[in-house]
Amino acid sequence: MQGTIDGFSYGLVTPLVAYFMACLGSALGLRCTTRSMLVSHSWRPGWLALGSAAIGSGIWTMHFVAMMGFTVRGTPIHYDRAMTFASLAVAIVMVGVGIFIVGYRGARGTALFTGGTVTGLGIASMHYLGMASMSLDGKLEYDTVTVGISVAIAMAAATAALWAAGQVRGFLWSVSASLVMGLAVSGMHYTGMAALSVHLHGTSEPTTGDSPANLLAPMLIGPLAFLLLAGVVVMFDPLLVMGKPTVVPVEHKPGIPAHTHVRHSARRLRFRPRRTVEHRGFRTPQNR
């Protein structure tokens, strides 16, 4: 028996909140990626790791907030807790691999394509692993073409967002990129949901796992608290958070001749006053 799917049981509340969470995680993650390119190599892994965790937590929270409005008529939905949080780990790790590639190789060429592809696959893997954590009295089936479109959307969105992060054009540029990435991630989610169909078994056997309401508390307390903490860190200037970043010496930059630093003495040079030329007249015998 074909199940009736409703992805908007709470109206526009869950899509809007989910979009906000995707934008928040993307904004923090892209900002951290941008700042990693402006600091010394010793601080770069920390900023990239923070950006990976922010984007991964944001898209994971976005997914399960959106799933709060997902219902199937005729059967309750439960979630496997272990697989649910495994999807969070997959999102953070795969997004981290893509961000680290771009952070160290630059947001261009092969590095950008590879980083965007891995990041997009991480977003898609998180989505479908989270869907696999559902337990209901039925069987989930997906349309292959629509699934492929959703994965392509995730890869394109991740590549565009990482390219924008590599431009290093200020905070407003990162915010604009995060709005686009949030829209793309949300579009990927609902495109993947459009590929879903449920065939009910009709056995009325009790399903195992946690209900969406039971997952709401850890979903808000954990990743959302982390996103707020990351937001506080990103709000500050790196000079205030971790001190003055190390500037790359001029002699290490290609194409620029090396200069030796001239050490000036603290003592001022004394300038002798210029002698005025005296008017030489006829000397008298008394002046000789």
Side-chain angles (χ1 to χ4, degrees), residues 244-275:
K244 187 176 180 180
T246 303
V247 181
V248 180
V250 178
E251 56 268 19
H252 293 170
K253 296 180 179 180
I256 300 179
H259 297 280
T260 57
H261 297 281
V262 180
R263 195 171 183 178
H264 299 281
S265 175
R267 186 175 58 185
R268 294 183 178 179
L269 297 178
R270 296 180 180 179
F271 297 95
R272 294 181 180 181
R274 184 178 180 182
R275 290 184 177 181

Side-chain angles (χ1 to χ4, degrees), residues 82-94:
M83 190 175 294
T84 297
F85 287 101
S87 65
L88 173 62
V90 168
I92 294 177
V93 171
M94 293 192 67

Side-chain angles (χ1 to χ4, degrees), residues 13 20 28 31 41 43 53 89 97-98 124 164 173 179 204 207 267:
V13 175
F20 172 77
L28 296 178
R31 192 59 181 166
H41 285 278
W43 288 100
V97 172
W173 179 268
L179 294 177
S204 68
T207 55
R267 186 175 58 185

Side-chain angles (χ1 to χ4, degrees), residues 65-80:
V65 167
M67 291 305 294
M68 291 295 297
F70 177 79
T71 58
V72 179
R73 186 177 301 175
T75 177
I77 299 176
H78 296 274
Y79 291 89
D80 180 74

